[in-house]
Amino acid sequence: MKGLIAKKVGMTQVFDESGNLIPVTVIRVEPNVVVSTKTKETNGYDAVVLGLDDMKKSHVNKAYAGQFPENIAPKCHLKEFRDFEGEVKVGDLVGLELFEKSRFLDVTATSKGKGFQGVMKRWGFHGGRATHGSKFHREPGGTGECTTPGHSFKNIKLPGHMGCQRVTVQNLKIVKIDPELKVILVRGAVPGNKDCTLIVKSAVKK
């Protein structure tokens, strides 16, 4: 498993060798710091904890700062990657070179929050007729049952809070890696708004 903590810059478009337009997402990957390592002997499994972005000293309490070695400043973002490929030690920097031989990535982030939405926006219901006098336009419709069973079933699609969930998009093709700008261009969209934190991993299914 290969993985890094990154930031979403936004979307743009590029042209391939055949002149086809490809929509891409720009992901900025700053070097991640190895905060700690875990082994089977001490923890029961192998893992590497990576950190990104230094925290302000005024925001750090003693409990949080205690998990960082003396030579590493407390980080805003921490992520543990199990079975990390490659040998690393505490204090090492891991960057874009990790994905030089990869062709596909899995990207995880928190999707955009949409607030409270109705069934048409949340679940794609068609709704009723838009004509005058219909009195049924954007409502979910009846959800009740007859005498048997006498109650509505669970997991019915109803209005409610939409978005703001942990989402993983798999098998995103790497279009280009630019070491100078420290960015990866992947084909298609990834969840989250601009400048959000992403978890970028090597594709599991490819």
Side-chain angles (χ1 to χ4, degrees):
M1 173 60 66
K2 303 175 184 177
L4 291 173
I5 307 171
K7 294 288 185 71
K8 178 180 177 180
V9 178
M11 291 197 70
T12 184
Q13 57 191 25
V14 296
F15 293 90
D16 62 7
E17 297 176 353
S18 302
N20 298 319
L21 187 146
I22 302 175
V24 295
T25 301
V26 183
I27 300 175
R28 184 173 179 82
V29 182
E30 295 287 348
N32 289 201
V33 180
V34 179
V35 175
S36 65
T37 58
K38 298 185 178 181
T39 59
K40 290 183 179 179
E41 291 76 16
T42 56
N43 304 98
Y45 62 94
D46 293 323
V48 171
V49 180
L50 300 180
L52 182 68
D53 293 341
D54 293 345
M55 290 183 67
K56 292 182 179 179
K57 292 183 178 180
S58 58
H59 293 173
V60 182
N61 55 31
K62 289 184 179 180
Y64 189 76
Q67 60 184 319
F68 295 92
E70 293 182 358
N71 59 337
I72 297 177
K75 304 297 180 181
C76 295
H77 309 288
L78 292 177
K79 177 63 179 177
E80 179 180 288
F81 296 92
R82 294 201 178 194
D83 301 323
F84 192 84
E85 290 188 13
E87 295 183 1
V88 293
K89 57 184 179 180
V90 176
D92 288 352
L93 295 177
V94 185
L96 279 177
E97 65 279 358
L98 196 67
F99 298 120
E100 286 182 349
K101 298 182 180 180
S102 301
R103 294 184 57 205
F104 295 91
L105 297 176
D106 293 344
V107 180
T108 303
T110 302
S111 61
K112 292 181 180 179
K114 306 291 184 179
F116 189 96
Q117 298 296 336
V119 290
M120 291 182 68
K121 182 177 177 70
R122 190 183 186 197
W123 301 111
F125 283 21
H126 289 276
R129 295 175 61 179
T131 53
H132 176 71
S134 163
K135 296 185 179 180
F136 177 71
H137 302 293
R138 302 183 67 89
E139 292 82 359
T143 60
E145 306 292 338
C146 295
T147 306
T148 304
H151 62 85
S152 297
F153 293 114
K154 291 182 178 181
N155 303 320
I156 292 177
K157 294 179 179 178
L158 292 174
H161 186 263
M162 181 180 177
C164 201
Q165 295 178 336
R166 203 68 169 162
V167 180
T168 299
V169 179
Q170 295 181 321
N171 303 329
L172 293 172
K173 186 176 181 179
I174 296 177
V175 177
K176 184 180 179 181
I177 296 179
D178 193 331
E180 294 183 2
L181 297 177
K182 300 178 182 178
V183 297
I184 301 177
L185 303 183
V186 295
R187 182 179 181 127
V190 303
N193 53 355
K194 293 181 181 179
D195 298 325
C196 73
T197 304
L198 308 174
I199 303 300
V200 182
K201 297 180 180 179
S202 54
V204 176
K205 296 182 178 179
K206 287 200 176 184

